[in-house]
Amino acid sequence: ELKVEQNPLFLSMQEGKNYTIYCNYSTTSDRLYWYRQDPGKSLESLFVLLSNGAVKQEGRLMASLDTKARLSTLHITAAVHDLSATYFCAVRGSNYKLTFGKGTLLTVNP
Amino acid sequence: DGGITQSPKYLFRKEGQNVTLSCEQNLNHDAMYWYRQDPGQGLRLIYYSQIVNDFQKGDIAEGYSVSREKKESFPLTVTSAQKNPTAFYLCASSIDRGHYGYTFGSGTRLTVV
């Protein structure tokens, strides 16, 4: 059974600081996805990582994938308040279903 | 505009009542999914369907039922057998076996009164 673990689950940051969210998964997969969710809203796709060593960047967010270590990271650079949200990683299993982590609630404080 | 439409946005259910949540997509996606979200639990898969007239149980299917009579539609019924139905329900769809991930609807918040 595929398990996906994110840490930390809660992250409180100051504006301007850098931090990394980690996503570990238990079985082989070469497809990993990052989503953002604002309170009471749906999930918005951020990044699709399709191969080992893939790195994607959008604004202050950068995601990477190491399939050998079964690890993805979401790095936040110089955080701003607008980045406050819950971030989910998801992994596609052998049956093509996505399994989600529990999410990381990010709060960026002035 | 292509997308997934969930309705209603808010739904209230009395004890012992069945309720149906609607999910319609015009993306021409083959696969559709229903997830339940509870605080601190992430997303848990209820049912999924990869083609019309076929669907599979997910991790928490007990107390729920679905149908997939049309490619565009995947309604979810929350039956009276579901003892704790209060949650946020998200419908999603995908193309090419989820290669590019899922597209999500805006969600339905169900509350038992």
Side-chain angles (χ1 to χ4, degrees):
Chain A
E1 180 190 349
L2 174 59
K3 293 189 187 301
V4 180
E5 289 190 2
Q6 282 182 241
N7 69 82
L9 297 182
F10 301 93
L11 178 54
S12 181
M13 298 176 62
Q14 279 191 311
E15 280 191 330
K17 298 293 187 184
N18 304 334
Y19 209 83
T20 300
I21 299 170
Y22 296 89
C23 176
N24 290 91
Y25 53 99
S26 61
T27 63
T28 301
S29 176
D30 60 357
R31 300 281 188 271
L32 191 135
Y33 311 87
W34 284 96
Y35 291 87
R36 169 183 170 140
Q37 185 180 37
D38 291 301
K41 304 292 186 183
S42 186
L43 272 72
E44 171 193 356
S45 178
L46 291 175
F47 300 110
V48 179
L49 302 170
L50 299 177
S51 61
N52 186 42
V55 177
K56 296 276 185 77
Q57 183 163 4
E58 180 73 32
R60 300 174 188 274
L61 300 177
M62 183 173 72
S64 65
L65 177 62
D66 181 344
T67 58
K68 293 178 182 176
R70 298 178 189 163
L71 171 69
S72 179
T73 60
L74 180 66
H75 187 71
I76 302 154
T77 301
V80 293
H81 180 70
D82 285 352
L83 290 179
S84 296
T86 299
Y87 293 86
F88 290 93
C89 65
V91 178
R92 191 176 79 158
S94 58
N95 53 11
Y96 306 113
K97 294 183 298 179
L98 265 60
T99 298
F100 287 79
K102 291 191 174 183
T104 297
L105 176 59
L106 171 64
T107 304
V108 181
N109 303 303
Chain B
D1 284 341
I4 300 181
T5 301
Q6 287 188 243
S7 63
K9 190 173 175 68
Y10 300 97
L11 186 58
F12 298 91
R13 192 194 94 166
K14 294 181 181 178
E15 296 281 351
Q17 204 177 37
N18 293 353
V19 291
T20 297
L21 284 60
S22 171
C23 179
E24 304 275 335
Q25 55 100 0
N26 60 3
L27 299 166
N28 199 34
H29 285 178
D30 294 311
M32 297 185 75
Y33 312 83
W34 274 106
Y35 284 89
R36 170 179 172 143
Q37 188 176 25
D38 296 281
Q41 293 290 323
L43 277 71
R44 293 183 289 169
L45 183 64
I46 304 172
Y47 269 98
Y48 65 104
S49 167
Q50 294 184 332
I51 56 172
V52 175
N53 292 322
D54 187 49
F55 49 83
Q56 307 294 330
K57 292 182 179 180
D59 301 317
I60 57 164
E62 186 174 350
Y64 300 97
S65 66
V66 293
S67 63
R68 186 87 187 278
E69 297 176 2
K70 299 187 298 182
K71 187 176 185 178
E72 302 80 15
S73 178
F74 192 40
L76 173 74
T77 297
V78 184
T79 75
S80 57
Q82 171 49 239
K83 298 306 178 190
N84 184 22
T86 295
F88 189 50
Y89 291 86
L90 285 161
C91 179
S93 69
S94 73
I95 197 166
D96 195 20
R97 296 178 173 178
H99 181 81
Y100 297 103
Y102 295 172
T103 301
F104 283 87
S106 57
T108 293
R109 186 164 300 279
L110 173 62
T111 304
V112 174
V113 296

